[in-house]
Amino acid sequence: MPFLRTILARLAATLVTLFGAAVIVFVVIRVVPGNPIAMMLPPGATEDDIARLQALYGLDKSIFEQFVIWLGGVVRGDFGTSISLRQPVLNLVLGRLPATLELSIMALVIAVFIGGAMALTGTLRRDTRTEAAIDVTSGMALSVPDFLWGLILILLFGVLWPVFHISGRVSPSLDFDFQTQFYLFESVLRLRFDVWADLVSHMFMPSLALAIPLAAIISQLLKQSLKETMHLDYVTLARTKGYSEASVITREALPNAVLPTLTLIGVQFTFLIGGTVIIERLFSYEGLGNMAIDAVINRDLPLIQGIVILFALLFTVVNLVVDMTYAALNPRLRHA
Amino acid sequence: MRDARSRVRRPIGLRLWLSGGWITLLIIGAVLAPLIAPHDPLYQDLFAGRMPPVWVDGADPNFLLGTDSLGRDVLSRILYGARLALTVALVAGTLTCLIGATLGLIAGYYRGWVDMVISRLVDIWMAFPPVLFAILLIAVLGTGLTSIIIAIVVIDWTRFARVVRAEAMTQGTMDYVASAQVVGRTKAGTMFAEILPNVLPTIVALLTLEMGIAVIVEAILSFVNLSISTDAPTWGGMIAEGRTSVHQAWWVLVFPLITLFLTVLSFSQLGEGLKDYFDPVLR
């Protein structure tokens, strides 16, 4: 069972990566010269107060002991208590994760849609001005990171022509009692399309900013693979059978050209999720990234740790899923 | 044949000229900032707050690109901000390149356990969102120029290590490397004398890209107010202020944004252009 062995090997590597990430974060935030406890107490606090709180959060022990205690907690699903928000880290983090996931997935969908459309149009109109225009556009889109696209979108569609919301996740005036944190999903299930429209209007700008660089990458790679496939014999055969050029591309070339792009999307999706940190800040979107920046500013060690580990988990899981999908889709790897 | 080649080369030339031109202009502006900046970038004049740029009604001709809410001159702040941005680009970019490329070269050429360790580290690094990692490091190291540079080096060395490792691996299997060994070159000697020159074009292109990334990281850090001291002129700080007052004074956001956009685009296009320029197939 080479397929199974590949998966097990990847799983083991994933665990090592996660453990390494945990160690690094743990060590990095504990060489902090400033004392996080001193920062959260009022100026008049005595040495005793500081020592008491330090003991409460376990900060008086050695780094190694702290790590063992923390790891023991994590295994039982206990990520500690946030210093600044005084709530269990796990609840806080899980409460914000859906917002970030919805934003990332919406961005991914937009990127696939735009990138795919650009690649197909470019292939259909290859060696024309249209293709050249698509190449220039994707080159530009790729050269500039999501942070700048976010600012440009704020200017264009928030200020110059204000059609979308550029701040927050949902209008506060909207009186709707959400039962879950998956607002977008829930609004569809409960058939409240007015709420859904409001959510989309808030999420569209930040997700578009995240999507633009990925759309450019998809467009470039997919177009290249499509153009290579278009020279293959079976495509020529389909053409001689009288299929239109558009249907030759979508029905014959696309299924064979899509695999490399699919793998790339997986890796790039983790970069996109990483981009949510600053994009959420920029659009005041109440997600994990925005919470992470606040946690760093407040030196909330347990919360920072929890968020970074969750991000690392998200990244490695995405990579694992991509690898497995690739192995399952690619017959050469499956039978190798 | 000649014609076809010159068709390929022309856009590359234009791209290099335009992006190189903008960067040169920026370097001149940054170096000469104390001489050419029309105002002190820190001087506040609350009576001259939110003055629009000169071509808009109600402007003060003394402030070419207008003023921010504290009455500080936008143009002067952009010029002084360029000093920090370019310093970070140059120093952080070069250091990242040196460390990352060296590790990549060693991993790709020596293979074995060194490669195992370096590749595993790269994997772990890839599990962190870079922006969060940068912010975290600044929180740990404290704000300031040195911290920004250290943060960028610590985060981005993997970018060089990954690419250079792959290139060095390919080069390492080539015949000329084997012949160098036969002639009696030491392993380290071969690495520097034979492999390095062949991966250098990639490294140079990556370095240029990295400078653009460094500029963005610095802007993001100053945007979340974690760069250098709060009232020092930084592009990210100006953008953060402009973002909050965008409905009242668009110019506070627009001008630093255009500058940052052109700078990042130029570094990236310069890198892409150099990559094509060095590409033996296109040459």
Side-chain angles (χ1 to χ4, degrees):
Chain A
M1 290 291 274
F3 185 59
L4 194 69
R5 199 162 43 194
T6 317
I7 289 180
L8 285 179
R10 285 289 292 121
L11 217 56
T14 302
L15 283 178
V16 174
T17 304
L18 274 178
F19 186 79
V23 172
I24 286 169
V25 175
F26 211 86
V27 172
V28 163
I29 58 180
R30 273 168 179 74
V31 294
V32 171
N35 186 338
I37 298 295
M39 283 179 67
M40 55 180 286
L41 283 171
T46 61
E47 290 288 318
D48 273 1
D49 292 335
I50 296 176
R52 213 153 32 82
L53 262 178
Q54 269 187 324
L56 183 67
Y57 288 102
L59 294 171
D60 52 344
K61 302 189 176 65
S62 74
I63 291 187
F64 180 74
E65 275 177 285
Q66 288 184 43
F67 185 72
V68 172
I69 294 171
W70 180 77
L71 202 64
V74 167
V75 174
R76 294 190 312 269
D78 174 14
F79 282 78
T81 307
S82 154
I83 297 177
S84 58
L85 301 167
R86 306 204 169 131
Q87 287 176 50
V89 168
L90 192 66
N91 294 1
L92 288 168
V93 165
L94 289 183
R96 287 290 187 97
L97 180 64
T100 299
L101 280 183
E102 283 191 343
L103 187 69
S104 310
I105 291 169
M106 186 162 167
L108 181 67
V109 172
I110 294 174
V112 169
F113 198 74
I114 298 178
M118 280 168 79
L120 291 173
T121 319
T123 316
L124 195 63
R125 304 245 181 282
R126 55 189 176 282
D127 304 322
T128 63
R129 271 164 196 271
T130 315
E131 196 199 352
I134 286 177
D135 286 346
V136 171
T137 312
S138 65
M140 277 268 286
L142 197 55
S143 298
V144 177
D146 42 22
F147 175 63
L148 282 181
W149 288 124
L151 285 162
I152 290 165
L153 290 175
I154 285 176
L155 272 175
L156 292 181
F157 301 103
V159 180
L160 213 57
W161 185 43
V163 277
F164 294 104
H165 291 279
I166 52 168
S167 181
R169 190 179 178 199
V170 64
S171 297
S173 57
L174 208 68
D175 197 21
F176 185 71
D177 189 22
F178 289 103
Q179 301 297 312
T180 66
Q181 290 298 319
F182 288 95
Y183 289 3
L184 198 64
F185 195 56
E186 188 185 335
S187 67
V188 174
L189 281 188
R190 287 167 64 181
L191 303 176
R192 285 289 302 269
F193 294 106
D194 56 326
V195 179
W196 183 83
D198 181 76
L199 287 163
V200 170
S201 164
H202 279 88
M203 288 166 70
F204 188 59
M205 289 290 102
S207 53
L208 186 60
L210 289 165
I212 290 173
L214 181 56
I217 297 173
I218 293 175
S219 148
Q220 287 183 353
L221 186 68
L222 185 60
K223 184 159 74 69
Q224 196 195 334
S225 320
L226 274 174
K227 284 176 81 174
E228 279 163 17
T229 317
M230 292 308 280
H231 293 300
L232 297 182
D233 287 343
Y234 84 96
V235 177
T236 316
L237 178 68
R239 211 180 273 135
T240 51
K241 280 183 185 165
Y243 289 129
S244 72
E245 187 70 10
S247 88
V248 168
I249 293 175
T250 51
R251 286 167 54 184
E252 305 291 334
L254 190 59
N256 277 288
V258 83
L259 201 58
T261 310
L262 228 49
T263 324
L264 186 88
I265 290 176
V267 180
Q268 292 292 328
F269 187 47
T270 61
F271 295 153
L272 188 153
I273 298 174
T276 58
V277 175
I278 193 66
I279 288 296
E280 284 180 3
R281 193 68 175 184
L282 191 56
F283 288 89
S284 316
Y285 184 86
E286 299 283 287
L288 210 49
N290 212 343
M291 182 188 249
I293 293 179
D294 284 332
V296 170
I297 291 170
N298 295 328
R299 302 234 158 147
D300 190 338
L301 301 190
L303 189 56
I304 297 172
Q305 226 153 256
I307 295 174
V308 176
I309 295 300
L310 186 68
F311 268 114
L313 184 70
L314 216 57
F315 281 23
T316 42
V317 166
V318 170
N319 280 327
L320 196 66
V321 170
V322 172
D323 282 0
M324 290 200 286
T325 321
Y326 187 72
L329 285 178
N330 191 341
R332 267 172 302 189
L333 268 184
R334 196 167 42 207
H335 300 299
Chain B
M1 191 62 213
R2 239 189 107 75
D3 287 340
R5 266 205 293 184
S6 60
R7 256 215 314 276
V8 174
R9 284 293 289 279
R10 203 178 303 128
I12 295 173
L14 183 68
R15 194 154 68 164
L16 283 178
W17 276 112
L18 280 179
S19 46
W22 170 256
I23 306 251
T24 313
L25 202 69
L26 205 63
I27 293 174
I28 294 172
V31 171
L32 299 182
L35 297 176
I36 57 173
H39 297 272
D40 177 348
L42 299 177
Y43 179 74
Q44 302 181 5
D45 181 355
L46 293 176
F47 293 106
R50 288 186 185 155
M51 289 285 198
V54 279
W55 58 88
V56 178
D57 283 346
D60 181 335
N62 278 326
F63 303 106
L64 210 56
L65 299 182
T67 61
D68 64 12
S69 59
L70 297 175
R72 296 173 296 193
D73 182 45
V74 170
L75 176 62
S76 306
R77 287 179 74 76
I78 290 179
L79 284 171
Y80 274 89
R83 303 187 122 198
L84 178 69
L86 290 176
T87 309
V88 170
L90 193 71
V91 181
T94 314
L95 285 176
T96 314
C97 173
L98 281 177
I99 294 172
T102 310
L103 289 174
L105 208 57
I106 293 172
Y109 183 57
Y110 281 82
R111 308 302 309 274
W113 66 268
V114 195
D115 185 23
M116 276 258 296
V117 173
I118 293 175
S119 300
R120 184 53 63 201
L121 275 179
V122 170
D123 277 352
I124 293 173
W125 249 247
M126 300 285 288
F128 293 117
V131 171
L132 183 56
F133 202 6
I135 292 167
L136 185 66
L137 285 172
I138 296 297
V140 170
L141 299 165
T143 52
L145 183 61
T146 322
S147 304
I148 300 172
I149 291 170
I150 294 175
I152 292 173
V153 175
V154 169
I155 293 157
D156 266 351
W157 65 271
T158 55
R159 212 184 282 273
F160 287 85
R162 268 184 304 154
V163 179
V164 174
R165 172 181 173 269
E167 288 257 326
M169 254 164 71
T170 327
Q171 297 290 337
T173 59
M174 301 228 174
D175 288 341
Y176 76 90
V177 177
S179 10
Q181 303 263 290
V182 172
V183 180
R185 258 199 211 282
T186 59
K187 197 126 190 183
T190 317
M191 189 173 86
F192 285 112
E194 309 289 338
I195 309 260
L196 183 60
N198 280 291
V199 294
L200 208 55
T202 312
I203 295 179
V204 171
L206 271 180
L207 172 62
T208 322
L209 289 174
E210 181 62 38
M211 289 183 174
I213 293 167
V215 171
I216 274 290
V217 173
E218 190 275 315
I220 287 178
L221 288 173
S222 41
F223 180 81
V224 293
N225 213 349
L226 283 171
S227 169
I228 55 175
S229 73
T230 33
D231 56 336
T234 59
W235 294 346
M238 295 176 79
I239 287 172
E241 204 229 302
R243 165 77 179 87
T244 54
S245 63
V246 65
H247 293 284
Q248 297 86 35
W250 54 267
W251 53 91
V252 184
L253 175 60
V254 168
F255 295 119
L257 180 59
I258 292 175
T259 316
L260 183 59
F261 185 88
L262 287 178
T263 308
V264 172
L265 191 67
S266 295
F267 273 122
S268 149
Q269 292 300 313
L270 205 59
E272 293 290 327
L274 285 175
K275 204 159 70 188
D276 291 353
Y277 187 77
F278 284 129
D279 190 334
V281 181
L282 278 179
R283 191 159 47 178

